[in-house]
Amino acid sequence: MNTDARNHSPAAERNCAPILAELQRLLPAQGLALEVASGTGQHAACFGAALPAWRWQPSDGDPRARPSISAWCEGLSNVPPPLHLDVRADLWPGVPVPVDAIFCANLLHISPWPSCVGLLRGAARHLSAEGLLVLYGPFLVEGEATAPSNLAFDADLRARDPAWGLRGLGDVQRQAEAAGLRLRERVAMPANNLLLVFARLGLP
């Protein structure tokens, strides 16, 4: 394996196992998944290896990320080369229709709000009838206390870029419903993160 090309995220290393446990609970035995904003590629490598009956398609909007994704996933026959994907685009070239699951971790707070809008609209276009959109990351929840670490993180993000910052769960839910998706499940995760599971409106 070409280890020189592999970037490393300590957070991805820590959260891979708890996220995988939820994916194994939520997903059927086999299918086709799209991972949005694969970053270093550590999640794609972890989930692709642990879910061999799934075809796990990584993607990223930053061309500089793709060599690391490819290096991490080298040798995994069920993980194809990463796609270039700008979630804000009206069309997602190269992304299959339909996919059985879409997974995205830690994108919404480090990108402008239109990325959230585009992700939800794209998921509604590409998910199969019973497909799931699974989002992971920190969120602000109206009426609930926010961990001091998340408040500090939010302030730091907004200082770096005013268009960034933790998203309100209610805002994400309303945008999802406008796209034809509903929040089916909310799971508390380590380090004050949430795992959000969206399905098509009208499905249990």
Coordinates of all heavy atoms in Angstrom, one line a residue, residues 104-202:
C104 N -22.7 10.8 5.2 CA -21.9 12.0 5.2 C -21.5 12.4 6.6 O -22.4 12.5 7.5 CB -22.7 13.1 4.6 SG -21.7 14.7 4.5
A105 N -20.2 12.5 6.9 CA -19.8 12.8 8.3 C -19.0 14.2 8.2 O -18.2 14.4 7.4 CB -18.8 11.7 8.8
N106 N -19.4 15.0 9.2 CA -18.6 16.2 9.5 C -18.4 17.1 8.3 O -17.3 17.7 8.1 CB -17.2 15.8 10.1 CG -17.4 15.2 11.5 OD1 -18.3 15.7 12.2 ND2 -16.6 14.2 11.8
L107 N -19.4 17.3 7.5 CA -19.4 18.2 6.4 C -20.2 19.5 6.7 O -19.7 20.6 6.4 CB -20.0 17.6 5.1 CG -20.2 18.6 3.9 CD1 -18.9 19.1 3.4 CD2 -21.0 17.9 2.8
L108 N -21.3 19.4 7.3 CA -22.3 20.5 7.3 C -21.7 21.7 8.1 O -22.0 22.9 7.7 CB -23.6 20.1 7.9 CG -24.3 19.0 7.1 CD1 -25.7 18.8 7.7 CD2 -24.4 19.2 5.6
H109 N -20.9 21.5 9.1 CA -20.4 22.6 9.9 C -19.2 23.3 9.3 O -18.8 24.4 9.8 CB -20.2 22.2 11.3 CG -19.3 21.0 11.5 ND1 -19.7 19.7 11.3 CD2 -18.0 21.0 11.8 CE1 -18.7 18.9 11.5 NE2 -17.6 19.7 11.8
I110 N -18.5 22.6 8.4 CA -17.3 23.2 7.7 C -17.6 23.6 6.3 O -16.7 23.5 5.4 CB -16.1 22.3 7.9 CG1 -16.3 20.9 7.3 CG2 -15.7 22.3 9.4 CD1 -15.1 20.1 7.2
S111 N -18.8 23.9 6.0 CA -19.2 24.3 4.6 C -20.4 25.3 4.7 O -21.1 25.2 5.7 CB -19.5 23.1 3.7 OG -20.6 22.4 4.3
P112 N -20.6 26.1 3.7 CA -21.8 27.0 3.8 C -23.1 26.3 3.8 O -23.2 25.1 3.3 CB -21.6 27.9 2.5 CG -20.2 27.7 2.1 CD -19.8 26.3 2.5
W113 N -24.1 27.0 4.2 CA -25.5 26.4 4.3 C -25.9 25.8 2.9 O -26.6 24.7 2.9 CB -26.5 27.4 4.8 CG -27.9 26.9 4.8 CD1 -28.9 27.3 4.0 CD2 -28.4 25.9 5.7 NE1 -30.1 26.6 4.3 CE2 -29.8 25.7 5.3 CE3 -27.9 25.1 6.7 CZ2 -30.6 24.8 6.0 CZ3 -28.7 24.2 7.3 CH2 -30.1 24.1 7.0
P114 N -25.6 26.3 1.8 CA -26.0 25.7 0.5 C -25.5 24.3 0.3 O -26.1 23.5 -0.4 CB -25.4 26.7 -0.6 CG -25.4 28.0 0.1 CD -25.1 27.7 1.5
S115 N -24.4 23.9 1.0 CA -24.0 22.5 1.0 C -25.0 21.6 1.6 O -25.2 20.5 1.1 CB -22.6 22.4 1.6 OG -21.6 23.1 0.9
C116 N -25.6 22.0 2.7 CA -26.6 21.2 3.4 C -27.8 21.1 2.5 O -28.4 20.0 2.3 CB -27.0 21.9 4.7 SG -28.3 21.0 5.6
V117 N -28.2 22.2 1.9 CA -29.4 22.2 1.0 C -29.1 21.3 -0.2 O -30.0 20.4 -0.5 CB -29.7 23.6 0.5 CG1 -30.8 23.6 -0.5 CG2 -30.0 24.6 1.6
G118 N -28.0 21.4 -0.8 CA -27.6 20.5 -1.9 C -27.5 19.1 -1.5 O -28.0 18.2 -2.3
L119 N -27.0 18.8 -0.4 CA -26.9 17.4 0.1 C -28.3 16.8 0.2 O -28.5 15.6 -0.2 CB -26.1 17.3 1.4 CG -26.0 15.9 2.1 CD1 -25.4 14.9 1.2 CD2 -25.3 16.0 3.4
L120 N -29.2 17.5 0.9 CA -30.5 16.9 1.1 C -31.3 16.8 -0.2 O -32.0 15.8 -0.4 CB -31.2 17.8 2.1 CG -30.6 17.8 3.5 CD1 -31.2 19.0 4.3 CD2 -30.8 16.5 4.2
R121 N -31.2 17.7 -1.1 CA -31.9 17.6 -2.4 C -31.3 16.5 -3.2 O -32.0 15.7 -3.9 CB -31.8 19.0 -3.1 CG -32.6 20.1 -2.5 CD -32.4 21.4 -3.2 NE -33.3 22.4 -2.7 CZ -33.2 23.7 -3.0 NH1 -32.3 24.1 -4.0 NH2 -34.0 24.6 -2.5
G122 N -29.9 16.4 -3.2 CA -29.3 15.3 -3.9 C -29.7 13.9 -3.4 O -29.9 13.0 -4.2
A123 N -29.7 13.8 -2.1 CA -30.1 12.6 -1.5 C -31.5 12.2 -1.9 O -31.8 11.0 -2.2 CB -30.0 12.7 0.0
A124 N -32.4 13.2 -1.9 CA -33.8 12.9 -2.4 C -33.8 12.4 -3.8 O -34.7 11.6 -4.2 CB -34.7 14.1 -2.2
R125 N -32.9 12.9 -4.7 CA -32.9 12.5 -6.1 C -32.3 11.1 -6.2 O -32.8 10.3 -7.1 CB -32.0 13.5 -6.9 CG -32.6 14.8 -7.1 CD -31.8 15.6 -8.2 NE -30.4 15.6 -8.0 CZ -29.7 16.6 -7.3 NH1 -30.4 17.6 -6.8 NH2 -28.4 16.5 -7.2
H126 N -31.4 10.7 -5.4 CA -30.6 9.5 -5.7 C -31.0 8.3 -4.8 O -30.6 7.2 -5.2 CB -29.1 9.8 -5.5 CG -28.5 10.6 -6.7 ND1 -27.9 10.0 -7.7 CD2 -28.5 11.9 -6.9 CE1 -27.5 10.9 -8.6 NE2 -27.8 12.1 -8.1
L127 N -31.6 8.5 -3.7 CA -31.9 7.4 -2.8 C -33.0 6.5 -3.4 O -33.9 7.0 -4.0 CB -32.4 7.9 -1.4 CG -31.3 8.4 -0.4 CD1 -32.0 9.0 0.8 CD2 -30.4 7.2 0.0
S128 N -32.8 5.2 -3.2 CA -33.9 4.3 -3.5 C -35.1 4.5 -2.6 O -35.1 5.3 -1.7 CB -33.4 2.8 -3.3 OG -33.1 2.6 -2.0
A129 N -36.2 3.9 -3.0 CA -37.5 4.1 -2.2 C -37.3 3.9 -0.7 O -37.9 4.6 0.1 CB -38.6 3.2 -2.8
E130 N -36.5 2.9 -0.3 CA -36.3 2.7 1.1 C -34.9 3.0 1.6 O -34.5 2.6 2.6 CB -36.6 1.2 1.4 CG -38.1 0.8 1.1 CD -38.4 -0.7 1.4 OE1 -37.4 -1.4 1.8 OE2 -39.5 -1.1 1.4
G131 N -34.2 3.8 0.8 CA -32.9 4.2 1.1 C -32.8 5.2 2.3 O -33.8 5.9 2.6
L132 N -31.6 5.2 2.9 CA -31.4 6.1 4.1 C -30.3 7.1 3.8 O -29.3 6.7 3.2 CB -31.1 5.2 5.3 CG -32.1 4.2 5.8 CD1 -31.5 3.4 6.9 CD2 -33.4 4.8 6.1
L133 N -30.5 8.3 4.4 CA -29.4 9.3 4.4 C -29.0 9.3 5.9 O -29.8 9.5 6.8 CB -29.9 10.6 4.0 CG -29.0 11.8 4.3 CD1 -27.7 11.7 3.5 CD2 -29.7 13.1 4.0
V134 N -27.7 9.1 6.1 CA -27.1 9.0 7.4 C -26.1 10.2 7.6 O -25.1 10.2 6.9 CB -26.5 7.7 7.7 CG1 -25.9 7.6 9.2 CG2 -27.4 6.5 7.5
L135 N -26.4 11.1 8.5 CA -25.5 12.2 8.7 C -24.9 12.1 10.1 O -25.5 11.7 11.1 CB -26.2 13.5 8.7 CG -27.0 13.8 7.4 CD1 -27.7 15.2 7.5 CD2 -26.1 13.8 6.2
Y136 N -23.6 12.4 10.2 CA -22.9 12.4 11.5 C -22.2 13.7 11.7 O -21.6 14.3 10.8 CB -21.9 11.2 11.5 CG -20.9 11.2 12.7 CD1 -21.3 10.6 13.9 CD2 -19.7 11.9 12.7 CE1 -20.5 10.6 15.0 CE2 -18.9 11.9 13.8 CZ -19.3 11.2 14.9 OH -18.4 11.3 16.0
G137 N -22.2 14.2 13.0 CA -21.5 15.4 13.4 C -22.1 16.1 14.5 O -23.1 15.6 15.1
P138 N -21.6 17.2 14.9 CA -22.2 18.0 16.0 C -23.3 18.9 15.4 O -23.2 19.5 14.3 CB -21.0 18.9 16.5 CG -20.2 19.1 15.2 CD -20.4 17.8 14.4
F139 N -24.4 19.1 16.2 CA -25.5 19.9 15.9 C -26.0 20.7 17.1 O -25.8 20.3 18.2 CB -26.7 19.0 15.3 CG -26.4 18.4 14.0 CD1 -25.8 17.1 14.0 CD2 -26.7 19.0 12.8 CE1 -25.5 16.5 12.8 CE2 -26.5 18.3 11.6 CZ -25.8 17.1 11.6
L140 N -26.7 21.8 16.8 CA -27.3 22.6 17.9 C -28.8 22.1 17.9 O -29.4 22.1 16.9 CB -27.2 24.1 17.6 CG -25.8 24.6 17.5 CD1 -25.9 26.1 17.1 CD2 -25.0 24.5 18.8
V141 N -29.3 21.8 19.1 CA -30.6 21.3 19.3 C -31.4 22.3 20.1 O -31.1 22.6 21.3 CB -30.7 19.9 19.9 CG1 -32.1 19.4 20.0 CG2 -29.8 18.9 19.1
E142 N -32.4 22.9 19.5 CA -33.2 23.9 20.2 C -33.9 23.3 21.5 O -34.4 22.2 21.4 CB -34.3 24.4 19.3 CG -35.1 25.6 19.9 CD -36.1 26.1 18.9 OE1 -36.2 25.7 17.7 OE2 -36.9 27.0 19.3
G143 N -33.8 24.0 22.6 CA -34.4 23.6 23.8 C -33.5 22.6 24.6 O -33.9 22.2 25.7
E144 N -32.3 22.3 24.1 CA -31.4 21.4 24.8 C -30.1 22.1 25.0 O -29.6 22.9 24.2 CB -31.2 20.1 24.0 CG -32.5 19.3 23.9 CD -32.3 18.0 23.2 OE1 -31.1 17.5 23.1 OE2 -33.2 17.4 22.7
A145 N -29.5 21.9 26.2 CA -28.2 22.5 26.5 C -27.1 22.0 25.5 O -27.1 20.8 25.1 CB -27.8 22.1 27.9
T146 N -26.3 22.9 25.1 CA -25.2 22.5 24.2 C -23.9 22.4 25.0 O -23.6 23.2 25.8 CB -25.0 23.6 23.1 OG1 -26.2 23.8 22.4 CG2 -23.9 23.3 22.2
A147 N -23.2 21.3 24.7 CA -21.9 21.1 25.4 C -21.0 22.3 25.2 O -20.9 22.8 24.1 CB -21.3 19.8 24.9
P148 N -20.3 22.7 26.3 CA -19.4 23.9 26.1 C -18.3 23.6 25.0 O -18.0 24.6 24.3 CB -18.7 23.9 27.5 CG -19.7 23.4 28.5 CD -20.4 22.3 27.7
S149 N -17.9 22.4 24.9 CA -16.9 22.1 23.8 C -17.5 22.4 22.4 O -16.8 22.9 21.5 CB -16.4 20.7 23.9 OG -17.5 19.8 23.8
N150 N -18.8 22.1 22.2 CA -19.5 22.4 21.0 C -19.7 23.9 20.8 O -19.6 24.4 19.6 CB -20.8 21.6 20.9 CG -20.6 20.2 20.4 OD1 -19.5 19.7 20.2 ND2 -21.7 19.5 20.3
L151 N -20.0 24.6 21.8 CA -20.1 26.0 21.7 C -18.8 26.7 21.3 O -18.8 27.6 20.5 CB -20.6 26.6 23.0 CG -22.1 26.3 23.4 CD1 -22.4 26.8 24.8 CD2 -23.1 26.9 22.4
A152 N -17.7 26.2 21.9 CA -16.4 26.8 21.6 C -16.0 26.4 20.2 O -15.5 27.2 19.4 CB -15.4 26.2 22.6
F153 N -16.3 25.2 19.8 CA -16.1 24.8 18.4 C -16.8 25.6 17.4 O -16.3 26.1 16.4 CB -16.4 23.3 18.3 CG -16.1 22.7 16.9 CD1 -14.9 23.0 16.3 CD2 -16.9 21.7 16.4 CE1 -14.6 22.4 15.0 CE2 -16.6 21.1 15.1 CZ -15.5 21.5 14.5
D154 N -18.1 25.9 17.7 CA -18.9 26.7 16.8 C -18.4 28.1 16.7 O -18.3 28.7 15.6 CB -20.4 26.7 17.4 CG -21.3 27.6 16.5 OD1 -21.4 27.3 15.3 OD2 -21.9 28.5 17.0
A155 N -18.0 28.7 17.8 CA -17.4 30.0 17.8 C -16.1 30.1 17.0 O -15.8 31.0 16.2 CB -17.1 30.5 19.2
D156 N -15.3 29.0 17.1 CA -14.0 29.0 16.4 C -14.3 28.8 14.9 O -13.6 29.5 14.0 CB -13.2 27.8 16.9 CG -11.9 27.6 16.1 OD1 -11.0 28.4 16.2 OD2 -11.8 26.6 15.3
L157 N -15.2 28.0 14.5 CA -15.6 27.9 13.1 C -16.0 29.2 12.5 O -15.6 29.6 11.4 CB -16.7 26.8 12.9 CG -16.2 25.3 13.2 CD1 -17.5 24.4 13.2 CD2 -15.3 24.9 12.1
R158 N -16.9 29.9 13.2 CA -17.5 31.1 12.6 C -16.4 32.2 12.6 O -16.5 33.1 11.7 CB -18.7 31.5 13.5 CG -19.9 30.6 13.4 CD -21.1 31.0 14.2 NE -22.1 29.9 14.2 CZ -23.0 29.7 13.3 NH1 -23.0 30.5 12.2 NH2 -23.8 28.7 13.4
A159 N -15.4 32.1 13.5 CA -14.3 33.1 13.4 C -13.5 32.8 12.2 O -12.9 33.8 11.6 CB -13.5 33.0 14.7
R160 N -13.3 31.6 11.8 CA -12.5 31.2 10.6 C -13.3 31.5 9.3 O -12.7 32.0 8.4 CB -12.2 29.7 10.7 CG -11.2 29.4 11.8 CD -11.2 28.0 12.2 NE -10.9 27.1 11.1 CZ -11.0 25.7 11.1 NH1 -11.5 25.2 12.2 NH2 -10.7 25.0 10.1
D161 N -14.6 31.3 9.3 CA -15.4 31.6 8.1 C -16.8 31.8 8.6 O -17.5 30.9 9.2 CB -15.4 30.4 7.2 CG -16.0 30.8 5.8 OD1 -17.0 31.5 5.8 OD2 -15.6 30.3 4.8
P162 N -17.4 33.0 8.4 CA -18.7 33.3 8.9 C -19.8 32.4 8.3 O -20.9 32.3 8.9 CB -19.0 34.8 8.5 CG -17.6 35.4 8.4 CD -16.7 34.2 7.9
A163 N -19.5 31.8 7.2 CA -20.5 30.9 6.6 C -20.5 29.5 7.2 O -21.3 28.7 6.8 CB -20.3 30.8 5.1
W164 N -19.5 29.2 8.1 CA -19.4 27.9 8.7 C -20.1 28.0 10.0 O -20.6 29.0 10.5 CB -17.9 27.5 8.9 CG -17.2 27.3 7.7 CD1 -17.6 27.4 6.4 CD2 -15.8 26.8 7.6 NE1 -16.6 27.0 5.5 CE2 -15.5 26.7 6.2 CE3 -14.9 26.5 8.5 CZ2 -14.3 26.2 5.7 CZ3 -13.6 26.0 8.1 CH2 -13.3 25.9 6.7
G165 N -20.2 26.8 10.7 CA -20.7 26.8 12.1 C -21.7 25.6 12.2 O -22.2 25.0 11.2
L166 N -21.9 25.2 13.5 CA -22.8 24.1 13.8 C -24.2 24.4 13.3 O -24.7 25.6 13.5 CB -22.8 23.8 15.3 CG -21.7 22.8 15.8 CD1 -20.3 23.3 15.5 CD2 -21.9 22.5 17.3
R167 N -24.8 23.5 12.7 CA -26.2 23.7 12.1 C -27.2 23.3 13.2 O -27.1 22.4 14.0 CB -26.4 22.9 10.9 CG -25.4 23.1 9.8 CD -25.3 24.6 9.4 NE -24.2 24.9 8.5 CZ -23.8 26.1 8.2 NH1 -24.4 27.2 8.8 NH2 -22.8 26.3 7.3
G168 N -28.3 24.0 13.2 CA -29.4 23.7 14.0 C -30.2 22.5 13.5 O -30.5 22.4 12.3
L169 N -30.5 21.6 14.4 CA -31.1 20.4 14.0 C -32.5 20.7 13.4 O -32.9 20.1 12.4 CB -31.3 19.4 15.2 CG -32.1 18.1 14.9 CD1 -31.4 17.3 13.8 CD2 -32.2 17.3 16.2
G170 N -33.2 21.6 13.9 CA -34.5 22.0 13.4 C -34.4 22.6 12.0 O -35.2 22.3 11.1
D171 N -33.3 23.4 11.7 CA -33.1 23.9 10.4 C -32.9 22.8 9.4 O -33.4 22.8 8.3 CB -32.0 24.9 10.4 CG -32.2 26.1 11.2 OD1 -33.4 26.5 11.3 OD2 -31.2 26.7 11.7
V172 N -32.1 21.8 9.8 CA -31.8 20.7 8.9 C -33.0 19.9 8.7 O -33.3 19.4 7.5 CB -30.7 19.8 9.5 CG1 -30.4 18.6 8.6 CG2 -29.4 20.6 9.6
Q173 N -33.8 19.6 9.7 CA -35.1 18.9 9.5 C -36.0 19.6 8.6 O -36.6 18.9 7.7 CB -35.8 18.7 10.9 CG -35.2 17.6 11.8 CD -36.0 17.4 13.0 OE1 -35.7 18.0 14.1 NE2 -37.1 16.7 12.9
R174 N -36.2 20.9 8.7 CA -37.1 21.6 7.8 C -36.6 21.5 6.4 O -37.4 21.4 5.4 CB -37.2 23.0 8.3 CG -38.1 23.2 9.5 CD -38.3 24.6 9.9 NE -37.2 25.2 10.5 CZ -36.9 25.1 11.8 NH1 -37.7 24.5 12.7 NH2 -35.8 25.7 12.3
Q175 N -35.3 21.7 6.2 CA -34.8 21.6 4.8 C -35.0 20.2 4.2 O -35.3 20.0 3.1 CB -33.3 22.0 4.8 CG -32.7 22.1 3.4 CD -33.4 23.2 2.6 OE1 -33.5 24.3 3.0 NE2 -33.9 22.8 1.4
A176 N -34.8 19.2 5.1 CA -35.0 17.8 4.6 C -36.4 17.6 4.2 O -36.7 16.9 3.2 CB -34.6 16.8 5.8
E177 N -37.4 18.0 5.0 CA -38.8 17.9 4.7 C -39.1 18.6 3.4 O -39.9 18.1 2.6 CB -39.6 18.4 5.8 CG -39.6 17.4 7.1 CD -40.2 18.0 8.3 OE1 -40.8 19.2 8.2 OE2 -40.2 17.4 9.4
A178 N -38.5 19.7 3.1 CA -38.7 20.4 1.9 C -38.2 19.6 0.7 O -38.8 19.7 -0.4 CB -38.1 21.8 1.9
A179 N -37.2 18.8 0.9 CA -36.7 17.9 -0.1 C -37.4 16.6 -0.2 O -37.1 15.8 -1.2 CB -35.2 17.7 0.1
G180 N -38.3 16.3 0.7 CA -39.0 15.0 0.7 C -38.5 14.0 1.6 O -38.8 12.8 1.4
L181 N -37.7 14.4 2.6 CA -37.1 13.4 3.6 C -37.6 13.8 5.0 O -37.9 15.0 5.2 CB -35.6 13.5 3.5 CG -35.0 13.2 2.1 CD1 -33.5 13.5 2.2 CD2 -35.2 11.8 1.7
R182 N -37.6 12.8 5.8 CA -37.9 13.1 7.2 C -36.9 12.4 8.2 O -36.3 11.4 7.8 CB -39.3 12.5 7.6 CG -39.4 11.0 7.6 CD -40.7 10.5 8.1 NE -40.7 9.0 8.2 CZ -40.3 8.4 9.3 NH1 -39.8 9.0 10.3 NH2 -40.3 7.0 9.3
L183 N -36.8 13.1 9.3 CA -35.8 12.5 10.3 C -36.5 11.3 10.9 O -37.5 11.4 11.6 CB -35.5 13.5 11.4 CG -34.5 13.1 12.5 CD1 -33.2 12.7 11.9 CD2 -34.4 14.2 13.5
R184 N -35.9 10.1 10.7 CA -36.5 8.9 11.2 C -35.9 8.5 12.6 O -36.5 7.9 13.4 CB -36.2 7.7 10.3 CG -37.0 6.5 10.6 CD -36.7 5.3 9.6 NE -35.5 4.6 10.1 CZ -35.1 3.4 9.5 NH1 -35.8 3.0 8.4 NH2 -34.0 2.8 9.9
E185 N -34.6 8.9 12.8 CA -34.0 8.5 14.0 C -32.8 9.4 14.3 O -32.2 9.9 13.4 CB -33.4 7.0 13.9 CG -32.9 6.4 15.1 CD -32.6 4.9 14.9 OE1 -33.0 4.3 13.9 OE2 -31.9 4.4 15.8
R186 N -32.6 9.7 15.6 CA -31.5 10.5 16.1 C -30.8 9.7 17.2 O -31.4 9.3 18.1 CB -32.1 11.8 16.7 CG -31.2 12.6 17.5 CD -31.9 13.8 18.2 NE -31.2 14.3 19.4 CZ -31.7 15.2 20.2 NH1 -32.9 15.7 19.9 NH2 -31.0 15.6 21.2
V187 N -29.5 9.5 17.0 CA -28.7 8.7 17.9 C -27.6 9.5 18.5 O -26.8 10.2 17.8 CB -28.1 7.5 17.2 CG1 -27.3 6.6 18.1 CG2 -29.2 6.7 16.4
A188 N -27.6 9.6 19.9 CA -26.5 10.2 20.5 C -25.2 9.4 20.4 O -25.2 8.2 20.6 CB -26.8 10.4 22.0
M189 N -24.1 10.1 20.0 CA -22.8 9.5 19.7 C -21.8 10.1 20.7 O -22.0 11.1 21.3 CB -22.4 9.7 18.3 CG -23.4 9.1 17.3 SD -23.6 7.3 17.3 CE -22.1 6.9 16.4
P190 N -20.6 9.4 20.7 CA -19.5 9.9 21.6 C -19.1 11.3 21.2 O -19.3 11.8 20.1 CB -18.4 8.9 21.4 CG -19.1 7.7 21.0 CD -20.3 8.1 20.1
A191 N -18.5 12.0 22.2 CA -17.9 13.4 21.9 C -19.0 14.4 21.5 O -18.7 15.3 20.7 CB -16.8 13.3 21.0
N192 N -20.2 14.3 22.0 CA -21.3 15.2 21.8 C -21.7 15.4 20.3 O -22.0 16.4 19.8 CB -20.9 16.6 22.3 CG -20.6 16.6 23.8 OD1 -21.4 16.1 24.6 ND2 -19.4 17.0 24.2
N193 N -21.6 14.3 19.6 CA -22.0 14.2 18.2 C -23.4 13.5 18.1 O -23.8 12.8 19.1 CB -21.0 13.5 17.3 CG -19.7 14.3 17.1 OD1 -19.7 15.3 16.5 ND2 -18.6 13.8 17.7
L194 N -24.0 13.7 17.0 CA -25.3 13.0 16.7 C -25.2 12.2 15.4 O -24.4 12.6 14.5 CB -26.4 14.0 16.6 CG -26.8 14.8 17.8 CD1 -27.9 15.8 17.5 CD2 -27.3 13.8 18.9
L195 N -25.9 11.1 15.3 CA -26.1 10.4 14.1 C -27.5 10.6 13.7 O -28.4 10.2 14.5 CB -25.7 8.9 14.2 CG -25.7 8.2 12.9 CD1 -24.3 7.8 12.5 CD2 -26.5 6.9 13.0
L196 N -27.8 11.2 12.5 CA -29.2 11.5 12.1 C -29.5 10.6 10.9 O -28.7 10.5 10.0 CB -29.3 12.9 11.7 CG -28.9 14.0 12.7 CD1 -29.0 15.4 12.1 CD2 -29.7 13.8 14.0
V197 N -30.6 9.9 11.0 CA -31.1 9.0 9.9 C -32.3 9.6 9.3 O -33.4 9.7 9.9 CB -31.4 7.6 10.5 CG1 -31.7 6.6 9.4 CG2 -30.2 7.1 11.3
F198 N -32.2 9.8 8.0 CA -33.4 10.3 7.2 C -33.9 9.3 6.2 O -33.1 8.6 5.6 CB -33.0 11.6 6.5 CG -32.7 12.8 7.3 CD1 -31.4 13.0 7.8 CD2 -33.6 13.7 7.7 CE1 -31.1 14.1 8.6 CE2 -33.3 14.8 8.5 CZ -32.1 15.0 9.0
A199 N -35.2 9.3 6.1 CA -35.8 8.4 5.1 C -36.9 9.2 4.3 O -37.1 10.4 4.6 CB -36.5 7.2 5.8
R200 N -37.4 8.6 3.3 CA -38.4 9.4 2.5 C -39.6 9.6 3.3 O -40.0 8.8 4.1 CB -38.7 8.6 1.2 CG -37.5 8.5 0.2 CD -38.0 8.1 -1.2 NE -36.9 8.1 -2.1 CZ -36.4 9.2 -2.7 NH1 -36.9 10.3 -2.5 NH2 -35.3 9.1 -3.5
L201 N -40.3 10.7 3.0 CA -41.5 11.0 3.7 C -42.5 9.9 3.4 O -42.6 9.4 2.3 CB -42.1 12.4 3.2 CG -41.4 13.6 3.7 CD1 -41.9 14.9 2.9 CD2 -41.6 13.8 5.2
G202 N -43.3 9.5 4.4 CA -44.3 8.5 4.2 C -43.9 7.1 4.5 O -44.7 6.2 4.6

